[in-house]
Every structure is written in structure tokens, then in C-alpha cells.
């Protein structure tokens, strides 16, 4: 259960950034393992919910501001650079630079999506994919409800465990064979999502370059043709690709499939032959955060729209996210999608930090996967190749947990870092400038780690 994981992981995440020492493992979010950094140990590695023996009155925000300003000047940061830093325990502001000015957030939008879906839908909910009987006994329809992590064949060693068409096919074949059916026609139903299958403000090359697949209620492997290739080609027609994979698995399960799959809507109340459920929403949020998976982000945003009584569409998802976050006390966001690919999105550094503080609040433990899913500097996810020993941000390796964001002319970084005395800082650095680079923001986050203030 996610509650048990929160009790174990959240105190570590909030008090000592998971305390990385020899042989460190970031529980449940490790996907890739580059050479691990050897960070210095914290002065205090105590698990609890109180600040680790540090006197809050000793915090020197002026010294922190001086170091950050110097680093920004040295990096050549221009007018497009904005920032906000707060004490992660108290929420007290420590540094601001145009902190309330909304900027293009790129993939740090996923912080907003994570908090919103966990609040509106809940961490334990799952997204189902079903197989129902068609108009005839020998007709089956594969029905997608919005789980982009559905895969073709099972992987028992994967975390989290993902639903597989292989299992759906085996269950379907058993049911049909018990009825004396050994040959079937296949239909597929993708009607759960409505409207455009690409987001407003998206560049056409996002789909062709493999950053995202067209957004559909039925797809496998987030649309990837090769599920193990992070930026590989994605299916132009994800529902058809899923249906064709289902046909292969039905054949492997002993049925004969007539012809090619065809798109058709399942009848209301159709008999369910098989069902597979996604990992819990909490695990999907962690996948989205760690790997910056865009199709998972859009699927989760659409779930927020459905939870608020709207349609699973871009038109309803943006307002649903904004309304949910406003109810949590975070205002001033403008969202057109859940992934951050849209250049129409606007979030301020202050709002990003407020979201991180919400997700870090022990009283809002249901929001914790937004934090536990943050990539770890030079360790996993989208930060695995950043903060290397050769970089200007090497001090942040292991100590910075942050969501990255990159678009043309946009670089953002928001997360939590521990300073030299074990204090935790929640931060957001946003650079909307043609010369924006992730390395510039990495250096700023590393400053939070180095600072003895």
C-alpha cells in the first residue's frame, strides 16, 4: 500500500534527501543506474519530522542570496531567469527573483499534474483496460480507459508491475474456449478520450521525434514501438497498434483471429471477458516524475478532468488541473496540458515551490509520490547524466532531487535539496531565454547544497 511506502520513504525524502551513502538505493524509483556519486554524509541523518538539530534562526538568507546572485551573474543568466527558494520545513521564503512572474514551465508542469491527480483521484485508484464481448459470441472488443503503461507481454521483474495484453488474451481465450469459441473477430474501442489527440501549443515535431505519442485512451508502452527505447519512434496510430498486439497475443493463447482489428464502440453493459488494471495512481505519478513520461502525464491530467465531471480531453483537463490546485491554495497557474510540452502553460517559481511544499507536508501524505518520484542528481531518471564529477554542479550529485524541464528557449528545474548543514530547501529555477541551459540551473541548485548558511 502507498501509505506504508510513504511512512518509510517520505521522512527520508524530507529530512535527508534519502541519505545517500555507500550502496544507496532510492526505493521503488530506480530505473537506470549510472556510476553512483559519493556524496558527503549529512551531519545529522535522523529520521523524523523535525528539523535535524539545526537552529532555524541561524539561517542566513542574505548569504544565500549573495551566493545565488553571484552564481547567476557568473553563468551569464539574463532577464529571463527567475527563482524562488523556501525552507522546506517551515515554508519561509529564503530567496526570490521575479518569483511571482509566471513563465513557461516546460516539464516542471508535471509537478502540478502529480499533485492535482493525487488530490482529485487519489493514490490508490487504478485505470482499467477491459475486453468485452461484441454483438456476436465470436467477437471481442478491446476497450481502453486511458492507461498508457499497458504493455504487450508481462515482465515479472518490473516495478511497478504493469498490466499486459498477454494476460488479457489468456483470460479472454479461456472464457471463449469454455463457450466453444475458437475463432474471433477483434474490435477496439478508443472512445474514452475525446477531442484532439495532440495538445494546444505543441510543436508538430514532438510526435515525430518521439517525445510523445498522439494521446489516446488505448495504447501500449506509452506509444513506443520499442518499449525499451526511451526516445525511440512512437506509433502514429496507438489504438490500432495496441489492437494488433492483442491479436498476436490471442493467437499465442490458442485462438484463431479472423482479419484485421477494426475500430468500434463497445455496447453499454457489454459482458466483460477480461480486465487488467494499471499500477496505482501513486506509482504512475512516480513514473511520470522520474522519467518525465509525457503520455503518462496527459493520461493523468485527463483523469483529473474525469474526476471533476468533465470529459477526458485537453479542453477539460487544463481547467480541471487549475481548479484542483486552486482548491489546494495554489493560484496563478495557466495550464493547457499535463506534460508541459505546451508553450501556452504558465507557472511562477513561487507556485512550483508551493506545490512542492504541499507534496512534502506530512499532513498531506497522499501527495507524497510527487516528491518521491523526483529524479536524483547523477543517479536516475532525467538527472542521471547531470551533476557529473566534471560539471560545475558536481556538489549537487545525490543531494538534489528535482524535476527537469526543457523546451526550445526554456529550461526549468524545481525540487528539493539539502544544504551543508542538513537543512532542506524547496526551490524553483526557471529560465525563459534563447540561451537557457540545464547546466546553468544545475549550478544554482548545487549552490543550495554548498551553502553553509
Amino acid at each position: 500500500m502507498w501509505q506504508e511506502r510513504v511512512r518509510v520513504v517520505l521522512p527520508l525524502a524530507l529530512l535527508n534527501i534519502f541519505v545517500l551513502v555507500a550502496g544507496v538505493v532510492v526505493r521503488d524509483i530506480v530505473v537506470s543506474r549510472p556510476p553512483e556519486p559519493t556524496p558527503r554524509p549529512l551531519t545529522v541523518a535522523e529520521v523524523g519530522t523535525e528539523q535535524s538539530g539545526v537552529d532555524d534562526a541561524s539561517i542566513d538568507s542574505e548569504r544565500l542570496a549573495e551566493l545565488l546572485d553571484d552564481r547567476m551573474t557568473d553563468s551569464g543568466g539574463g532577464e529571463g531567469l527567475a527563482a524562488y527558494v523556501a525552507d522546506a520545513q517551515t515554508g519561509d521564503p529564503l530567496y526570490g527573483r521575479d518569483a511571482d512572474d509566471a513563465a513557461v514551465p516546460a516539464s516542471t508542469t508535471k509537478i502540478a499534474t502529480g499533485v492535482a491527480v493525487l488530490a482529485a483521484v487519489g493514490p490508490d485508484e487504478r485505470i482499467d483496460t477491459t475486453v468485452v464481448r461484441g454483438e456476436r459470441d465470436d467477437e471481442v472488443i478491446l476497450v481502453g480507459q486511458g492507461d498508457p503503461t499497458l504493455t504487450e507481454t508481462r515482465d515479472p521483474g518490473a516495478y511497478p508491475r504493469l498490466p499486459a495484453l498477454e494476460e488479457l488474451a489468456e483470460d479472454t481465450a479461456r472464457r471463449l474456449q469454455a463457450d466453444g469459441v475458437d475463432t474471433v473477430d477483434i474490435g477496439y474501442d478508443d472512445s474514452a478520450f475525446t477531442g484532439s489527440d495532440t495538445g494546444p501549443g505543441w510543436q508538430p515535431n514532438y510526435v515525430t521525434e518521439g517525445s510523445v505519442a498522439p494521446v489516446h485512451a488505448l495504447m501500449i508502452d506509452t506509444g513506443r514501438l520499442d518499449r525499451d527505447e526511451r526516445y525511440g519512434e512512437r506509433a502514429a496510430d496507438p489504438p490500432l497498434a495496441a489492437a494488433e498486439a492483442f491479436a498476436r497475443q490471442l493467437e499465442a493463447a490458442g485462438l484463431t483471429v479472423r482479419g484485421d482489428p477494426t475500430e468500434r464502440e463497445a455496447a453499454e453493459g457489454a459482458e466483460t471477458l477480461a480486465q487488467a488494471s494499471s499500477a496505482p495512481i501513486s506509482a504512475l505519478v512516480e513514473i511520470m516524475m522520474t522519467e518525465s513520461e509525457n503520455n503518462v502525464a496527459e493520461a493523468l491530467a485527463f483523469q483529473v478532468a474525469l474526476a471533476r465531471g468533465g470529459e477526458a480531453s485537453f479542453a477539460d483537463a487544463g481547467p480541471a488541473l487549475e481548479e484542483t490546485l486552486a482548491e489546494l491554495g495554489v493560484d496563478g497557474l495557466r495550464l493547457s496540458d499535463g506534460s508541459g510540452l505546451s508553450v501556452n502553460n504558465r507557472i511562477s517559481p513561487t507556485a512550483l515551490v508551493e506545490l512542492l511544499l504541499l507534496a512534502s507536508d506530512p499532513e498531506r501524505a497522499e501527495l507524497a509520490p510527487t516528491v518521491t518520484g523526483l529524479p536524483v542528481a547523477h543517479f536516475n531518471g532525467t538527472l542521471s547524466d547531470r551533476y557529473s564529477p566534471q560539471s560545475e554542479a558536481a556538489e549537487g550529485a545525490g543531494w538534489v532531487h528535482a524535476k527537469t524541464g526543457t523546451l526550445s528557449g526554456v529550461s526549468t528545474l524545481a525540487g528539493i535539496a539539502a544544504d551543508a548543514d542538513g537543512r532542506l530547501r524547496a526551490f524553483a529555477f526557471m529560465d525563459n531565454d534563447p540561451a537557457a541551459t540545464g547546466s546553468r540551473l544545475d549550478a544554482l541548485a548545487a549552490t543550495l547544497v554548498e551553502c553553509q548558511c
Side-chain angles (χ1 to χ4, degrees):
M1 294 290 289
W2 70 270
Q3 295 99 328
E4 180 180 351
R5 292 181 57 241
V6 165
R7 284 195 294 270
V8 175
V9 175
L10 183 58
L12 291 173
L14 301 182
L15 283 180
N16 48 43
I17 307 295
F18 300 104
V19 191
L20 298 174
V21 291
V24 65
V25 174
V26 179
R27 184 183 178 187
D28 290 345
I29 64 173
V30 175
V31 176
S32 58
R33 294 178 180 270
E36 297 181 14
T38 307
R40 61 185 182 279
L42 294 176
T43 53
V44 178
E46 177 185 12
V47 176
T49 56
E50 305 268 330
Q51 191 74 300
S52 301
V54 178
D55 181 6
D56 287 341
S58 68
I59 296 175
D60 188 347
S61 58
E62 291 185 2
R63 174 60 179 158
L64 177 62
E66 179 183 347
L67 290 173
L68 287 173
D69 286 338
D70 287 347
R71 201 90 183 233
M72 289 180 187
T73 300
D74 293 343
S75 71
E79 295 183 359
L81 185 58
Y84 185 63
V85 181
D87 185 283
Q89 294 291 337
T90 67
D92 293 339
L94 301 176
Y95 178 82
R97 170 173 170 159
D98 297 328
D100 295 326
D101 293 351
V104 179
S107 277
T108 52
T109 299
K110 294 181 176 73
I111 296 172
T113 302
V115 170
V117 72
L118 290 163
V121 180
D124 290 330
E125 293 300 312
R126 298 170 186 261
I127 304 171
D128 294 331
T129 303
T130 58
V131 180
V132 303
R133 201 183 296 271
E135 295 179 354
R136 307 185 315 272
D137 285 347
D138 62 351
E139 178 187 19
V140 298
I141 302 175
L142 178 65
V143 183
Q145 295 293 329
D147 176 15
T149 68
L150 180 68
T151 190
E152 181 170 354
T153 56
R154 62 172 65 90
D155 181 359
Y159 176 85
R161 184 181 181 278
L162 301 178
L165 290 174
E166 179 182 9
E167 296 166 328
L168 278 172
E170 290 170 352
D171 291 345
T172 301
R174 278 193 292 270
R175 286 288 300 274
L176 293 178
Q177 289 164 347
D179 295 338
V181 176
D182 58 11
T183 302
V184 295
D185 293 321
I186 297 178
Y188 61 95
D189 185 344
D190 181 50
S191 62
F193 287 2
T194 63
S196 174
D197 63 3
T198 58
W202 285 15
Q203 299 298 321
N205 65 297
Y206 294 162
V207 173
T208 57
E209 72 186 10
S211 293
V212 67
V215 177
H216 286 271
L218 177 61
M219 63 168 55
I220 57 173
D221 299 321
T222 61
R224 290 184 176 86
L225 300 184
D226 181 347
R227 67 183 180 187
D228 297 321
E229 192 171 351
R230 177 72 179 86
Y231 290 105
E233 183 180 359
R234 303 206 194 198
D237 188 342
L240 177 58
E244 291 172 339
F246 184 54
R248 290 192 294 270
Q249 292 305 314
L250 282 177
E251 293 270 7
L255 296 180
T256 298
V257 176
R258 281 191 297 256
D260 297 324
T262 58
E263 187 171 8
R264 67 193 78 170
E265 282 195 35
E268 186 175 351
E271 178 189 1
T272 298
L273 300 173
Q275 177 175 303
S277 299
S278 73
I281 293 294
S282 57
L284 297 183
V285 168
E286 288 184 332
I287 291 172
M288 172 187 70
M289 297 297 291
T290 305
E291 293 301 319
S292 200
E293 178 42 62
N294 294 314
N295 280 99
V296 172
E298 301 307 347
L300 293 177
F302 282 20
Q303 295 302 314
V304 177
L306 289 172
R308 297 190 68 89
E311 294 189 349
S313 66
F314 283 104
D316 286 359
L321 292 170
E322 294 172 11
E323 292 163 8
T324 301
L325 297 175
E327 290 172 0
L328 293 172
V330 183
D331 297 307
L333 301 88
R334 188 168 84 238
L335 300 176
S336 294
D337 70 6
S339 65
L341 289 173
S342 177
V343 295
N344 299 336
N345 292 346
R346 295 293 185 275
I347 306 179
S348 69
T350 298
L352 283 173
V353 170
E354 288 175 347
L355 291 168
L356 290 164
L357 294 176
L358 271 174
S360 302
D361 185 351
E363 299 300 317
R364 300 302 307 262
E366 74 277 10
L367 306 180
T370 310
V371 173
T372 59
L374 290 171
V376 182
H378 198 53
F379 185 70
N380 74 329
T382 56
L383 286 182
S384 61
D385 60 352
R386 292 165 64 166
Y387 295 85
S388 70
Q390 296 76 33
S391 73
E392 294 183 3
E395 287 293 322
W399 300 112
V400 173
H401 288 214
K403 182 70 200 73
T404 57
T406 305
L407 292 172
S408 178
V410 176
S411 186
T412 57
L413 189 70
I416 296 177
D419 73 6
D421 292 317
R423 303 183 187 92
L424 296 183
R425 313 301 195 201
F427 66 87
F429 299 117
M430 309 181 74
D431 199 358
N432 284 198
D433 183 272
T437 64
S439 59
R440 177 185 296 170
L441 304 186
D442 290 348
L444 296 176
T447 300
L448 302 179
V449 174
E450 299 167 4
C451 179
Q452 291 184 310
C453 48

